[in-house]
Amino acid sequence: MDGPRAPDAGPGALAALGFLVGRWIGEGEEGGTPLTSEAEGRWILDGTWLQVREILRDGEGRSVHEDLTLYRFDPEEGHVRVVHCLPGGWKREWPVLLCEGRLHWVLGPAGPHVVLEPGEDGWCSRVVQPGTEAPPVTIRYRPAER
């Protein structure tokens, strides 16, 4: 049964991602351009996967990015992994590093570095493009329902 609960499986590493569970609205920017966003995180498949769906919109409300991420504890490797799905049928899977309450994943040696961090009243998503002068894309999320 799907539902908002911490997983029973694995050594508890996936439970550290519980700060992503819920419905969220966000505000931020990409290179000085304002963005708004919506995200929803929920436990699925009997609490053994965490699904997070995110949509970013520009100042005029047009979708500029959409993705679906699935987090799971890999019992064979002994750590958390992320499956990152994008429009066009793109899918990649990466190991996840949990460090000092932050979630990190890197999309290959030259790819973006994603950092998700819990905050006082929500969480923050930051995407850094290595090897460029581009500032990170930063979105601060707060609960959609107060």
Side-chain angles (χ1 to χ4, degrees), residues 14 17 20 43-44 48-52 69-73 80-83 94 96 103 105 114 116:
L14 197 59
L17 307 183
L20 298 169
W43 298 114
I44 61 170
T48 59
W49 291 74
L50 175 61
Q51 172 186 297
V52 179
T69 52
L70 300 166
Y71 298 94
R72 69 184 179 95
F73 178 80
V80 176
R81 294 187 64 85
V82 60
V83 179
W94 309 99
V96 168
L103 165 74
W105 44 287
V114 177
L116 305 179

mmCIF file with all atom_site columns, all heavy atoms in Angstrom, residues 14 17 20 43-44 48-52 69-73 80-83 94 96 103 105 114 116:
data_model
loop_
_atom_site.group_PDB
_atom_site.id
_atom_site.type_symbol
_atom_site.label_atom_id
_atom_site.label_alt_id
_atom_site.label_comp_id
_atom_site.label_asym_id
_atom_site.label_entity_id
_atom_site.label_seq_id
_atom_site.pdbx_PDB_ins_code
_atom_site.Cartn_x
_atom_site.Cartn_y
_atom_site.Cartn_z
_atom_site.occupancy
_atom_site.B_iso_or_equiv
_atom_site.pdbx_formal_charge
_atom_site.auth_seq_id
_atom_site.auth_comp_id
_atom_site.auth_asym_id
_atom_site.auth_atom_id
_atom_site.pdbx_PDB_model_num
ATOM 1   N N   . LEU A 1 14  ? 17.134 5.336  3.677   1.00 0.00 ? 14  LEU A N   1
ATOM 2   C CA  . LEU A 1 14  ? 16.108 6.003  2.875   1.00 0.00 ? 14  LEU A CA  1
ATOM 3   C C   . LEU A 1 14  ? 15.225 6.894  3.745   1.00 0.00 ? 14  LEU A C   1
ATOM 4   O O   . LEU A 1 14  ? 14.740 7.927  3.282   1.00 0.00 ? 14  LEU A O   1
ATOM 5   C CB  . LEU A 1 14  ? 15.266 4.964  2.136   1.00 0.00 ? 14  LEU A CB  1
ATOM 6   C CG  . LEU A 1 14  ? 14.435 5.446  0.969   1.00 0.00 ? 14  LEU A CG  1
ATOM 7   C CD1 . LEU A 1 14  ? 15.303 6.081  -0.107  1.00 0.00 ? 14  LEU A CD1 1
ATOM 8   C CD2 . LEU A 1 14  ? 13.631 4.317  0.382   1.00 0.00 ? 14  LEU A CD2 1
ATOM 9   N N   . LEU A 1 17  ? 15.498 10.702 3.875   1.00 0.00 ? 17  LEU A N   1
ATOM 10  C CA  . LEU A 1 17  ? 14.952 11.535 2.801   1.00 0.00 ? 17  LEU A CA  1
ATOM 11  C C   . LEU A 1 17  ? 13.505 11.931 3.058   1.00 0.00 ? 17  LEU A C   1
ATOM 12  O O   . LEU A 1 17  ? 12.869 12.567 2.217   1.00 0.00 ? 17  LEU A O   1
ATOM 13  C CB  . LEU A 1 17  ? 15.051 10.804 1.454   1.00 0.00 ? 17  LEU A CB  1
ATOM 14  C CG  . LEU A 1 17  ? 16.425 10.286 1.082   1.00 0.00 ? 17  LEU A CG  1
ATOM 15  C CD1 . LEU A 1 17  ? 16.388 9.650  -0.291  1.00 0.00 ? 17  LEU A CD1 1
ATOM 16  C CD2 . LEU A 1 17  ? 17.454 11.382 1.143   1.00 0.00 ? 17  LEU A CD2 1
ATOM 17  N N   . LEU A 1 20  ? 11.480 15.207 2.116   1.00 0.00 ? 20  LEU A N   1
ATOM 18  C CA  . LEU A 1 20  ? 10.945 15.490 0.783   1.00 0.00 ? 20  LEU A CA  1
ATOM 19  C C   . LEU A 1 20  ? 9.469  15.107 0.642   1.00 0.00 ? 20  LEU A C   1
ATOM 20  O O   . LEU A 1 20  ? 8.831  15.460 -0.356  1.00 0.00 ? 20  LEU A O   1
ATOM 21  C CB  . LEU A 1 20  ? 11.768 14.756 -0.279  1.00 0.00 ? 20  LEU A CB  1
ATOM 22  C CG  . LEU A 1 20  ? 13.237 15.149 -0.365  1.00 0.00 ? 20  LEU A CG  1
ATOM 23  C CD1 . LEU A 1 20  ? 14.006 14.181 -1.249  1.00 0.00 ? 20  LEU A CD1 1
ATOM 24  C CD2 . LEU A 1 20  ? 13.379 16.573 -0.857  1.00 0.00 ? 20  LEU A CD2 1
ATOM 25  N N   . TRP A 1 43  ? 6.015  8.263  -0.459  1.00 0.00 ? 43  TRP A N   1
ATOM 26  C CA  . TRP A 1 43  ? 6.489  6.889  -0.395  1.00 0.00 ? 43  TRP A CA  1
ATOM 27  C C   . TRP A 1 43  ? 5.601  6.061  -1.311  1.00 0.00 ? 43  TRP A C   1
ATOM 28  O O   . TRP A 1 43  ? 4.380  6.229  -1.311  1.00 0.00 ? 43  TRP A O   1
ATOM 29  C CB  . TRP A 1 43  ? 6.400  6.332  1.019   1.00 0.00 ? 43  TRP A CB  1
ATOM 30  C CG  . TRP A 1 43  ? 7.232  7.059  2.017   1.00 0.00 ? 43  TRP A CG  1
ATOM 31  C CD1 . TRP A 1 43  ? 6.782  7.800  3.075   1.00 0.00 ? 43  TRP A CD1 1
ATOM 32  C CD2 . TRP A 1 43  ? 8.656  7.135  2.069   1.00 0.00 ? 43  TRP A CD2 1
ATOM 33  N NE1 . TRP A 1 43  ? 7.837  8.333  3.774   1.00 0.00 ? 43  TRP A NE1 1
ATOM 34  C CE2 . TRP A 1 43  ? 9.014  7.930  3.172   1.00 0.00 ? 43  TRP A CE2 1
ATOM 35  C CE3 . TRP A 1 43  ? 9.687  6.614  1.280   1.00 0.00 ? 43  TRP A CE3 1
ATOM 36  C CZ2 . TRP A 1 43  ? 10.329 8.213  3.517   1.00 0.00 ? 43  TRP A CZ2 1
ATOM 37  C CZ3 . TRP A 1 43  ? 11.004 6.896  1.621   1.00 0.00 ? 43  TRP A CZ3 1
ATOM 38  C CH2 . TRP A 1 43  ? 11.311 7.674  2.717   1.00 0.00 ? 43  TRP A CH2 1
ATOM 39  N N   . ILE A 1 44  ? 6.196  5.162  -2.095  1.00 0.00 ? 44  ILE A N   1
ATOM 40  C CA  . ILE A 1 44  ? 5.432  4.266  -2.958  1.00 0.00 ? 44  ILE A CA  1
ATOM 41  C C   . ILE A 1 44  ? 5.977  2.844  -2.803  1.00 0.00 ? 44  ILE A C   1
ATOM 42  O O   . ILE A 1 44  ? 7.030  2.640  -2.202  1.00 0.00 ? 44  ILE A O   1
ATOM 43  C CB  . ILE A 1 44  ? 5.466  4.708  -4.449  1.00 0.00 ? 44  ILE A CB  1
ATOM 44  C CG1 . ILE A 1 44  ? 6.900  4.708  -5.002  1.00 0.00 ? 44  ILE A CG1 1
ATOM 45  C CG2 . ILE A 1 44  ? 4.811  6.072  -4.622  1.00 0.00 ? 44  ILE A CG2 1
ATOM 46  C CD1 . ILE A 1 44  ? 6.970  4.906  -6.511  1.00 0.00 ? 44  ILE A CD1 1
ATOM 47  N N   . THR A 1 48  ? 9.149  1.365  0.014   1.00 0.00 ? 48  THR A N   1
ATOM 48  C CA  . THR A 1 48  ? 10.534 1.009  -0.321  1.00 0.00 ? 48  THR A CA  1
ATOM 49  C C   . THR A 1 48  ? 11.144 1.941  -1.363  1.00 0.00 ? 48  THR A C   1
ATOM 50  O O   . THR A 1 48  ? 12.339 1.833  -1.656  1.00 0.00 ? 48  THR A O   1
ATOM 51  C CB  . THR A 1 48  ? 10.627 -0.443 -0.821  1.00 0.00 ? 48  THR A CB  1
ATOM 52  O OG1 . THR A 1 48  ? 9.803  -0.596 -1.976  1.00 0.00 ? 48  THR A OG1 1
ATOM 53  C CG2 . THR A 1 48  ? 10.178 -1.422 0.267   1.00 0.00 ? 48  THR A CG2 1
ATOM 54  N N   . TRP A 1 49  ? 10.352 2.839  -1.924  1.00 0.00 ? 49  TRP A N   1
ATOM 55  C CA  . TRP A 1 49  ? 10.805 3.852  -2.883  1.00 0.00 ? 49  TRP A CA  1
ATOM 56  C C   . TRP A 1 49  ? 10.236 5.199  -2.437  1.00 0.00 ? 49  TRP A C   1
ATOM 57  O O   . TRP A 1 49  ? 9.126  5.264  -1.909  1.00 0.00 ? 49  TRP A O   1
ATOM 58  C CB  . TRP A 1 49  ? 10.292 3.564  -4.288  1.00 0.00 ? 49  TRP A CB  1
ATOM 59  C CG  . TRP A 1 49  ? 10.861 2.375  -4.962  1.00 0.00 ? 49  TRP A CG  1
ATOM 60  C CD1 . TRP A 1 49  ? 10.590 1.061  -4.697  1.00 0.00 ? 49  TRP A CD1 1
ATOM 61  C CD2 . TRP A 1 49  ? 11.785 2.376  -6.052  1.00 0.00 ? 49  TRP A CD2 1
ATOM 62  N NE1 . TRP A 1 49  ? 11.283 0.268  -5.555  1.00 0.00 ? 49  TRP A NE1 1
ATOM 63  C CE2 . TRP A 1 49  ? 12.027 1.031  -6.400  1.00 0.00 ? 49  TRP A CE2 1
ATOM 64  C CE3 . TRP A 1 49  ? 12.432 3.391  -6.762  1.00 0.00 ? 49  TRP A CE3 1
ATOM 65  C CZ2 . TRP A 1 49  ? 12.884 0.672  -7.423  1.00 0.00 ? 49  TRP A CZ2 1
ATOM 66  C CZ3 . TRP A 1 49  ? 13.291 3.023  -7.790  1.00 0.00 ? 49  TRP A CZ3 1
ATOM 67  C CH2 . TRP A 1 49  ? 13.515 1.687  -8.117  1.00 0.00 ? 49  TRP A CH2 1
ATOM 68  N N   . LEU A 1 50  ? 10.978 6.254  -2.709  1.00 0.00 ? 50  LEU A N   1
ATOM 69  C CA  . LEU A 1 50  ? 10.477 7.617  -2.510  1.00 0.00 ? 50  LEU A CA  1
ATOM 70  C C   . LEU A 1 50  ? 10.402 8.260  -3.884  1.00 0.00 ? 50  LEU A C   1
ATOM 71  O O   . LEU A 1 50  ? 11.401 8.330  -4.602  1.00 0.00 ? 50  LEU A O   1
ATOM 72  C CB  . LEU A 1 50  ? 11.404 8.426  -1.603  1.00 0.00 ? 50  LEU A CB  1
ATOM 73  C CG  . LEU A 1 50  ? 11.032 9.903  -1.426  1.00 0.00 ? 50  LEU A CG  1
ATOM 74  C CD1 . LEU A 1 50  ? 9.658  10.066 -0.791  1.00 0.00 ? 50  LEU A CD1 1
ATOM 75  C CD2 . LEU A 1 50  ? 12.079 10.618 -0.607  1.00 0.00 ? 50  LEU A CD2 1
ATOM 76  N N   . GLN A 1 51  ? 9.202  8.711  -4.265  1.00 0.00 ? 51  GLN A N   1
ATOM 77  C CA  . GLN A 1 51  ? 8.980  9.353  -5.563  1.00 0.00 ? 51  GLN A CA  1
ATOM 78  C C   . GLN A 1 51  ? 8.857  10.852 -5.360  1.00 0.00 ? 51  GLN A C   1
ATOM 79  O O   . GLN A 1 51  ? 8.084  11.299 -4.513  1.00 0.00 ? 51  GLN A O   1
ATOM 80  C CB  . GLN A 1 51  ? 7.698  8.808  -6.188  1.00 0.00 ? 51  GLN A CB  1
ATOM 81  C CG  . GLN A 1 51  ? 7.265  9.549  -7.441  1.00 0.00 ? 51  GLN A CG  1
ATOM 82  C CD  . GLN A 1 51  ? 5.919  9.048  -7.920  1.00 0.00 ? 51  GLN A CD  1
ATOM 83  O OE1 . GLN A 1 51  ? 5.769  7.903  -8.276  1.00 0.00 ? 51  GLN A OE1 1
ATOM 84  N NE2 . GLN A 1 51  ? 4.929  9.936  -7.910  1.00 0.00 ? 51  GLN A NE2 1
ATOM 85  N N   . VAL A 1 52  ? 9.627  11.637 -6.126  1.00 0.00 ? 52  VAL A N   1
ATOM 86  C CA  . VAL A 1 52  ? 9.524  13.097 -6.080  1.00 0.00 ? 52  VAL A CA  1
ATOM 87  C C   . VAL A 1 52  ? 9.348  13.600 -7.506  1.00 0.00 ? 52  VAL A C   1
ATOM 88  O O   . VAL A 1 52  ? 10.169 13.319 -8.382  1.00 0.00 ? 52  VAL A O   1
ATOM 89  C CB  . VAL A 1 52  ? 10.775 13.746 -5.443  1.00 0.00 ? 52  VAL A CB  1
ATOM 90  C CG1 . VAL A 1 52  ? 10.635 15.266 -5.427  1.00 0.00 ? 52  VAL A CG1 1
ATOM 91  C CG2 . VAL A 1 52  ? 11.010 13.213 -4.035  1.00 0.00 ? 52  VAL A CG2 1
ATOM 92  N N   . THR A 1 69  ? 11.942 11.875 -9.914  1.00 0.00 ? 69  THR A N   1
ATOM 93  C CA  . THR A 1 69  ? 13.065 11.170 -9.311  1.00 0.00 ? 69  THR A CA  1
ATOM 94  C C   . THR A 1 69  ? 12.528 10.091 -8.390  1.00 0.00 ? 69  THR A C   1
ATOM 95  O O   . THR A 1 69  ? 11.540 10.291 -7.676  1.00 0.00 ? 69  THR A O   1
ATOM 96  C CB  . THR A 1 69  ? 14.004 12.118 -8.535  1.00 0.00 ? 69  THR A CB  1
ATOM 97  O OG1 . THR A 1 69  ? 13.234 12.892 -7.626  1.00 0.00 ? 69  THR A OG1 1
ATOM 98  C CG2 . THR A 1 69  ? 14.747 13.031 -9.464  1.00 0.00 ? 69  THR A CG2 1
ATOM 99  N N   . LEU A 1 70  ? 13.179 8.958  -8.432  1.00 0.00 ? 70  LEU A N   1
ATOM 100 C CA  . LEU A 1 70  ? 12.821 7.825  -7.595  1.00 0.00 ? 70  LEU A CA  1
ATOM 101 C C   . LEU A 1 70  ? 14.053 7.451  -6.783  1.00 0.00 ? 70  LEU A C   1
ATOM 102 O O   . LEU A 1 70  ? 15.118 7.181  -7.345  1.00 0.00 ? 70  LEU A O   1
ATOM 103 C CB  . LEU A 1 70  ? 12.398 6.639  -8.459  1.00 0.00 ? 70  LEU A CB  1
ATOM 104 C CG  . LEU A 1 70  ? 11.195 6.881  -9.365  1.00 0.00 ? 70  LEU A CG  1
ATOM 105 C CD1 . LEU A 1 70  ? 11.085 5.782  -10.412 1.00 0.00 ? 70  LEU A CD1 1
ATOM 106 C CD2 . LEU A 1 70  ? 9.928  6.967  -8.534  1.00 0.00 ? 70  LEU A CD2 1
ATOM 107 N N   . TYR A 1 71  ? 13.907 7.463  -5.468  1.00 0.00 ? 71  TYR A N   1
ATOM 108 C CA  . TYR A 1 71  ? 15.000 7.107  -4.571  1.00 0.00 ? 71  TYR A CA  1
ATOM 109 C C   . TYR A 1 71  ? 14.717 5.728  -3.999  1.00 0.00 ? 71  TYR A C   1
ATOM 110 O O   . TYR A 1 71  ? 13.588 5.428  -3.626  1.00 0.00 ? 71  TYR A O   1
ATOM 111 C CB  . TYR A 1 71  ? 15.102 8.122  -3.429  1.00 0.00 ? 71  TYR A CB  1
ATOM 112 C CG  . TYR A 1 71  ? 15.405 9.512  -3.896  1.00 0.00 ? 71  TYR A CG  1
ATOM 113 C CD1 . TYR A 1 71  ? 14.381 10.422 -4.144  1.00 0.00 ? 71  TYR A CD1 1
ATOM 114 C CD2 . TYR A 1 71  ? 16.718 9.930  -4.113  1.00 0.00 ? 71  TYR A CD2 1
ATOM 115 C CE1 . TYR A 1 71  ? 14.657 11.702 -4.587  1.00 0.00 ? 71  TYR A CE1 1
ATOM 116 C CE2 . TYR A 1 71  ? 16.999 11.218 -4.549  1.00 0.00 ? 71  TYR A CE2 1
ATOM 117 C CZ  . TYR A 1 71  ? 15.961 12.088 -4.781  1.00 0.00 ? 71  TYR A CZ  1
ATOM 118 O OH  . TYR A 1 71  ? 16.239 13.358 -5.217  1.00 0.00 ? 71  TYR A OH  1
ATOM 119 N N   . ARG A 1 72  ? 15.760 4.906  -3.918  1.00 0.00 ? 72  ARG A N   1
ATOM 120 C CA  . ARG A 1 72  ? 15.608 3.563  -3.362  1.00 0.00 ? 72  ARG A CA  1
ATOM 121 C C   . ARG A 1 72  ? 16.883 3.166  -2.637  1.00 0.00 ? 72  ARG A C   1
ATOM 122 O O   . ARG A 1 72  ? 17.965 3.664  -2.967  1.00 0.00 ? 72  ARG A O   1
ATOM 123 C CB  . ARG A 1 72  ? 15.309 2.546  -4.448  1.00 0.00 ? 72  ARG A CB  1
ATOM 124 C CG  . ARG A 1 72  ? 16.500 2.296  -5.372  1.00 0.00 ? 72  ARG A CG  1
ATOM 125 C CD  . ARG A 1 72  ? 16.147 1.346  -6.515  1.00 0.00 ? 72  ARG A CD  1
ATOM 126 N NE  . ARG A 1 72  ? 17.286 1.139  -7.388  1.00 0.00 ? 72  ARG A NE  1
ATOM 127 C CZ  . ARG A 1 72  ? 18.149 0.132  -7.287  1.00 0.00 ? 72  ARG A CZ  1
ATOM 128 N NH1 . ARG A 1 72  ? 18.014 -0.773 -6.336  1.00 0.00 ? 72  ARG A NH1 1
ATOM 129 N NH2 . ARG A 1 72  ? 19.156 0.022  -8.130  1.00 0.00 ? 72  ARG A NH2 1
ATOM 130 N N   . PHE A 1 73  ? 16.755 2.289  -1.669  1.00 0.00 ? 73  PHE A N   1
ATOM 131 C CA  . PHE A 1 73  ? 17.922 1.704  -1.035  1.00 0.00 ? 73  PHE A CA  1
ATOM 132 C C   . PHE A 1 73  ? 18.263 0.461  -1.835  1.00 0.00 ? 73  PHE A C   1
ATOM 133 O O   . PHE A 1 73  ? 17.415 -0.408 -2.050  1.00 0.00 ? 73  PHE A O   1
ATOM 134 C CB  . PHE A 1 73  ? 17.655 1.347  0.426   1.00 0.00 ? 73  PHE A CB  1
ATOM 135 C CG  . PHE A 1 73  ? 18.847 0.707  1.068   1.00 0.00 ? 73  PHE A CG  1
ATOM 136 C CD1 . PHE A 1 73  ? 19.903 1.485  1.516   1.00 0.00 ? 73  PHE A CD1 1
ATOM 137 C CD2 . PHE A 1 73  ? 18.924 -0.664 1.189   1.00 0.00 ? 73  PHE A CD2 1
ATOM 138 C CE1 . PHE A 1 73  ? 21.018 0.909  2.080   1.00 0.00 ? 73  PHE A CE1 1
ATOM 139 C CE2 . PHE A 1 73  ? 20.035 -1.255 1.763   1.00 0.00 ? 73  PHE A CE2 1
ATOM 140 C CZ  . PHE A 1 73  ? 21.086 -0.468 2.206   1.00 0.00 ? 73  PHE A CZ  1
ATOM 141 N N   . VAL A 1 80  ? 21.873 4.274  -0.980  1.00 0.00 ? 80  VAL A N   1
ATOM 142 C CA  . VAL A 1 80  ? 20.734 4.853  -1.684  1.00 0.00 ? 80  VAL A CA  1
ATOM 143 C C   . VAL A 1 80  ? 21.144 5.207  -3.108  1.00 0.00 ? 80  VAL A C   1
ATOM 144 O O   . VAL A 1 80  ? 22.260 5.659  -3.358  1.00 0.00 ? 80  VAL A O   1
ATOM 145 C CB  . VAL A 1 80  ? 20.215 6.107  -0.937  1.00 0.00 ? 80  VAL A CB  1
ATOM 146 C CG1 . VAL A 1 80  ? 19.082 6.781  -1.697  1.00 0.00 ? 80  VAL A CG1 1
ATOM 147 C CG2 . VAL A 1 80  ? 19.754 5.728  0.466   1.00 0.00 ? 80  VAL A CG2 1
ATOM 148 N N   . ARG A 1 81  ? 20.215 4.995  -4.045  1.00 0.00 ? 81  ARG A N   1
ATOM 149 C CA  . ARG A 1 81  ? 20.411 5.368  -5.448  1.00 0.00 ? 81  ARG A CA  1
ATOM 150 C C   . ARG A 1 81  ? 19.222 6.208  -5.893  1.00 0.00 ? 81  ARG A C   1
ATOM 151 O O   . ARG A 1 81  ? 18.146 6.129  -5.317  1.00 0.00 ? 81  ARG A O   1
ATOM 152 C CB  . ARG A 1 81  ? 20.535 4.137  -6.343  1.00 0.00 ? 81  ARG A CB  1
ATOM 153 C CG  . ARG A 1 81  ? 21.789 3.334  -6.032  1.00 0.00 ? 81  ARG A CG  1
ATOM 154 C CD  . ARG A 1 81  ? 22.012 2.223  -7.012  1.00 0.00 ? 81  ARG A CD  1
ATOM 155 N NE  . ARG A 1 81  ? 22.252 2.652  -8.369  1.00 0.00 ? 81  ARG A NE  1
ATOM 156 C CZ  . ARG A 1 81  ? 23.424 3.013  -8.869  1.00 0.00 ? 81  ARG A CZ  1
ATOM 157 N NH1 . ARG A 1 81  ? 24.490 3.036  -8.109  1.00 0.00 ? 81  ARG A NH1 1
ATOM 158 N NH2 . ARG A 1 81  ? 23.548 3.355  -10.136 1.00 0.00 ? 81  ARG A NH2 1
ATOM 159 N N   . VAL A 1 82  ? 19.435 7.015  -6.934  1.00 0.00 ? 82  VAL A N   1
ATOM 160 C CA  . VAL A 1 82  ? 18.363 7.813  -7.509  1.00 0.00 ? 82  VAL A CA  1
ATOM 161 C C   . VAL A 1 82  ? 18.207 7.420  -8.974  1.00 0.00 ? 82  VAL A C   1
ATOM 162 O O   . VAL A 1 82  ? 19.192 7.224  -9.686  1.00 0.00 ? 82  VAL A O   1
ATOM 163 C CB  . VAL A 1 82  ? 18.635 9.341  -7.388  1.00 0.00 ? 82  VAL A CB  1
ATOM 164 C CG1 . VAL A 1 82  ? 19.900 9.747  -8.103  1.00 0.00 ? 82  VAL A CG1 1
ATOM 165 C CG2 . VAL A 1 82  ? 17.444 10.147 -7.888  1.00 0.00 ? 82  VAL A CG2 1
ATOM 166 N N   . VAL A 1 83  ? 16.951 7.263  -9.396  1.00 0.00 ? 83  VAL A N   1
ATOM 167 C CA  . VAL A 1 83  ? 16.611 7.095  -10.807 1.00 0.00 ? 83  VAL A CA  1
ATOM 168 C C   . VAL A 1 83  ? 16.009 8.428  -11.224 1.00 0.00 ? 83  VAL A C   1
ATOM 169 O O   . VAL A 1 83  ? 14.997 8.857  -10.660 1.00 0.00 ? 83  VAL A O   1
ATOM 170 C CB  . VAL A 1 83  ? 15.609 5.944  -11.024 1.00 0.00 ? 83  VAL A CB  1
ATOM 171 C CG1 . VAL A 1 83  ? 15.261 5.822  -12.500 1.00 0.00 ? 83  VAL A CG1 1
ATOM 172 C CG2 . VAL A 1 83  ? 16.159 4.636  -10.473 1.00 0.00 ? 83  VAL A CG2 1
ATOM 173 N N   . TRP A 1 94  ? 21.914 7.071  -10.516 1.00 0.00 ? 94  TRP A N   1
ATOM 174 C CA  . TRP A 1 94  ? 23.140 7.525  -9.870  1.00 0.00 ? 94  TRP A CA  1
ATOM 175 C C   . TRP A 1 94  ? 23.150 7.134  -8.398  1.00 0.00 ? 94  TRP A C   1
ATOM 176 O O   . TRP A 1 94  ? 22.103 7.089  -7.771  1.00 0.00 ? 94  TRP A O   1
ATOM 177 C CB  . TRP A 1 94  ? 23.246 9.058  -9.950  1.00 0.00 ? 94  TRP A CB  1
ATOM 178 C CG  . TRP A 1 94  ? 23.052 9.584  -11.316 1.00 0.00 ? 94  TRP A CG  1
ATOM 179 C CD1 . TRP A 1 94  ? 21.914 10.114 -11.835 1.00 0.00 ? 94  TRP A CD1 1
ATOM 180 C CD2 . TRP A 1 94  ? 24.010 9.626  -12.366 1.00 0.00 ? 94  TRP A CD2 1
ATOM 181 N NE1 . TRP A 1 94  ? 22.111 10.489 -13.135 1.00 0.00 ? 94  TRP A NE1 1
ATOM 182 C CE2 . TRP A 1 94  ? 23.392 10.201 -13.495 1.00 0.00 ? 94  TRP A CE2 1
ATOM 183 C CE3 . TRP A 1 94  ? 25.342 9.234  -12.469 1.00 0.00 ? 94  TRP A CE3 1
ATOM 184 C CZ2 . TRP A 1 94  ? 24.045 10.386 -14.699 1.00 0.00 ? 94  TRP A CZ2 1
ATOM 185 C CZ3 . TRP A 1 94  ? 25.998 9.425  -13.671 1.00 0.00 ? 94  TRP A CZ3 1
ATOM 186 C CH2 . TRP A 1 94  ? 25.353 9.996  -14.765 1.00 0.00 ? 94  TRP A CH2 1
ATOM 187 N N   . VAL A 1 96  ? 23.656 8.034  -4.475  1.00 0.00 ? 96  VAL A N   1
ATOM 188 C CA  . VAL A 1 96  ? 23.339 9.206  -3.681  1.00 0.00 ? 96  VAL A CA  1
ATOM 189 C C   . VAL A 1 96  ? 24.239 9.212  -2.451  1.00 0.00 ? 96  VAL A C   1
ATOM 190 O O   . VAL A 1 96  ? 24.469 8.171  -1.837  1.00 0.00 ? 96  VAL A O   1
ATOM 191 C CB  . VAL A 1 96  ? 21.854 9.174  -3.247  1.00 0.00 ? 96  VAL A CB  1
ATOM 192 C CG1 . VAL A 1 96  ? 21.556 10.222 -2.193  1.00 0.00 ? 96  VAL A CG1 1
ATOM 193 C CG2 . VAL A 1 96  ? 20.943 9.356  -4.445  1.00 0.00 ? 96  VAL A CG2 1
ATOM 194 N N   . LEU A 1 103 ? 21.411 15.748 0.903   1.00 0.00 ? 103 LEU A N   1
ATOM 195 C CA  . LEU A 1 103 ? 21.399 14.707 -0.107  1.00 0.00 ? 103 LEU A CA  1
ATOM 196 C C   . LEU A 1 103 ? 22.163 15.234 -1.319  1.00 0.00 ? 103 LEU A C   1
ATOM 197 O O   . LEU A 1 103 ? 21.858 16.319 -1.817  1.00 0.00 ? 103 LEU A O   1
ATOM 198 C CB  . LEU A 1 103 ? 19.948 14.401 -0.475  1.00 0.00 ? 103 LEU A CB  1
ATOM 199 C CG  . LEU A 1 103 ? 19.677 13.605 -1.725  1.00 0.00 ? 103 LEU A CG  1
ATOM 200 C CD1 . LEU A 1 103 ? 20.029 12.154 -1.475  1.00 0.00 ? 103 LEU A CD1 1
ATOM 201 C CD2 . LEU A 1 103 ? 18.214 13.718 -2.095  1.00 0.00 ? 103 LEU A CD2 1
ATOM 202 N N   . TRP A 1 105 ? 23.778 14.226 -5.250  1.00 0.00 ? 105 TRP A N   1
ATOM 203 C CA  . TRP A 1 105 ? 24.011 13.303 -6.350  1.00 0.00 ? 105 TRP A CA  1
ATOM 204 C C   . TRP A 1 105 ? 24.595 14.066 -7.522  1.00 0.00 ? 105 TRP A C   1
ATOM 205 O O   . TRP A 1 105 ? 24.309 15.228 -7.733  1.00 0.00 ? 105 TRP A O   1
ATOM 206 C CB  . TRP A 1 105 ? 22.817 12.461 -6.732  1.00 0.00 ? 105 TRP A CB  1
ATOM 207 C CG  . TRP A 1 105 ? 21.457 13.072 -6.837  1.00 0.00 ? 105 TRP A CG  1
ATOM 208 C CD1 . TRP A 1 105 ? 20.660 13.484 -5.820  1.00 0.00 ? 105 TRP A CD1 1
ATOM 209 C CD2 . TRP A 1 105 ? 20.705 13.303 -8.036  1.00 0.00 ? 105 TRP A CD2 1
ATOM 210 N NE1 . TRP A 1 105 ? 19.471 13.955 -6.304  1.00 0.00 ? 105 TRP A NE1 1
ATOM 211 C CE2 . TRP A 1 105 ? 19.465 13.843 -7.660  1.00 0.00 ? 105 TRP A CE2 1
ATOM 212 C CE3 . TRP A 1 105 ? 20.949 13.083 -9.383  1.00 0.00 ? 105 TRP A CE3 1
ATOM 213 C CZ2 . TRP A 1 105 ? 18.483 14.179 -8.584  1.00 0.00 ? 105 TRP A CZ2 1
ATOM 214 C CZ3 . TRP A 1 105 ? 19.966 13.412 -10.306 1.00 0.00 ? 105 TRP A CZ3 1
ATOM 215 C CH2 . TRP A 1 105 ? 18.757 13.955 -9.895  1.00 0.00 ? 105 TRP A CH2 1
ATOM 216 N N   . VAL A 1 114 ? 23.608 17.923 -7.807  1.00 0.00 ? 114 VAL A N   1
ATOM 217 C CA  . VAL A 1 114 ? 22.327 18.236 -7.188  1.00 0.00 ? 114 VAL A CA  1
ATOM 218 C C   . VAL A 1 114 ? 22.477 18.104 -5.675  1.00 0.00 ? 114 VAL A C   1
ATOM 219 O O   . VAL A 1 114 ? 22.982 17.087 -5.187  1.00 0.00 ? 114 VAL A O   1
ATOM 220 C CB  . VAL A 1 114 ? 21.219 17.290 -7.693  1.00 0.00 ? 114 VAL A CB  1
ATOM 221 C CG1 . VAL A 1 114 ? 19.897 17.571 -7.002  1.00 0.00 ? 114 VAL A CG1 1
ATOM 222 C CG2 . VAL A 1 114 ? 21.078 17.388 -9.212  1.00 0.00 ? 114 VAL A CG2 1
ATOM 223 N N   . LEU A 1 116 ? 20.105 18.547 -2.167  1.00 0.00 ? 116 LEU A N   1
ATOM 224 C CA  . LEU A 1 116 ? 18.815 18.780 -1.524  1.00 0.00 ? 116 LEU A CA  1
ATOM 225 C C   . LEU A 1 116 ? 19.077 18.831 -0.028  1.00 0.00 ? 116 LEU A C   1
ATOM 226 O O   . LEU A 1 116 ? 19.729 17.944 0.523   1.00 0.00 ? 116 LEU A O   1
ATOM 227 C CB  . LEU A 1 116 ? 17.829 17.667 -1.854  1.00 0.00 ? 116 LEU A CB  1
ATOM 228 C CG  . LEU A 1 116 ? 17.590 17.391 -3.344  1.00 0.00 ? 116 LEU A CG  1
ATOM 229 C CD1 . LEU A 1 116 ? 16.610 16.245 -3.512  1.00 0.00 ? 116 LEU A CD1 1
ATOM 230 C CD2 . LEU A 1 116 ? 17.111 18.629 -4.064  1.00 0.00 ? 116 LEU A CD2 1
#
